[in-house]
Amino acid sequence: MQPLDNEFFEEYKRLDRLCADMYSCKNGVSQYIEDMESRSRREAGVISSWDNEYKMLKHLRWKRNRIAHDTDGHQISSISDIQYVRKFHERILSGQDPIALLEKSKVAAGQQENMQYEYRPAPQRSFDFGCLIIIVDIVVILLYFLTHN
């Protein structure tokens, strides 16, 4: 294994462990990718970088698998691959990865929707028309009893 590939492999394993902890599974990056695949196109379209992130994660997983099974000794990864894996790891920790951003946007949309349809009771009136009818009924009943007795 080439030194650059070894460094990439170690950084990928670190990212994989983080994702595995998030999903409580064995293959964390694969589970993250599956989570992305389970989202609808409409839902994922809210995150502008979604497609690029998805393709890049799949590509990096492919490179990781090539390194793990490669017997030729050719260098497979690049410095930019290592940098991407590190930055993606940081984005997950800071809540700026695609899944976290999608969940945040769903919460924000839900709060906005709740604000639009928030129940606001009618203001209380000191004297209601219903009260007037009850008072008139009581007066009529009293007058009836007073005049017929």
Side-chain angles (χ1 to χ4, degrees):
M1 186 183 301
Q2 298 292 322
L4 204 55
D5 289 339
N6 188 48
E7 187 176 351
F8 169 80
F9 199 81
E10 292 303 314
E11 290 297 328
Y12 186 93
K13 284 192 325 190
R14 185 170 159 249
L15 174 63
D16 195 54
R17 282 190 303 271
L18 176 63
C19 292
D21 288 344
M22 282 173 35
Y23 291 104
S24 299
C25 68
K26 186 176 179 183
N27 299 317
V29 173
S30 292
Q31 186 61 49
Y32 192 98
I33 291 169
E34 286 178 31
D35 192 2
M36 291 182 84
E37 290 170 344
S38 73
R39 309 300 175 121
S40 70
R41 297 293 277 160
R42 183 173 154 250
E43 183 181 26
V46 173
I47 309 303
S48 61
S49 64
W50 187 273
D51 288 335
N52 290 336
E53 299 273 15
Y54 171 75
K55 289 174 186 173
M56 190 63 171
L57 284 174
K58 287 191 74 151
H59 181 70
L60 293 173
R61 182 179 61 179
W62 174 79
K63 282 190 173 191
R64 180 260 173 226
N65 290 340
R66 277 198 59 205
I67 292 169
H69 303 292
D70 186 57
T71 56
D72 295 341
H74 295 94
Q75 183 168 311
I76 297 170
S77 62
S78 65
I79 292 173
S80 63
D81 294 332
I82 295 167
Q83 291 170 339
Y84 184 88
V85 171
R86 286 178 181 156
K87 286 179 183 174
F88 196 82
H89 187 275
E90 290 171 15
R91 286 200 308 275
I92 288 176
L93 291 176
S94 66
Q96 298 301 310
D97 61 286
I99 300 284
L101 292 173
L102 180 62
E103 293 303 319
K104 288 176 186 177
S105 73
K106 288 166 63 175
V107 167
Q111 287 175 346
Q112 190 174 43
E113 186 176 300
N114 288 342
M115 288 171 55
Q116 290 175 346
Y117 300 107
E118 184 177 322
Y119 172 73
R120 293 188 182 125
Q124 293 291 335
R125 290 180 252 160
S126 60
F127 188 76
D128 199 349
F129 184 71
C131 291
L132 178 64
I133 291 174
I134 292 171
I135 292 171
V136 169
D137 286 344
I138 292 171
V139 169
V140 169
I141 292 170
L142 284 173
L143 286 174
Y144 175 80
F145 281 111
L146 290 174
T147 57
H148 287 83
N149 284 336

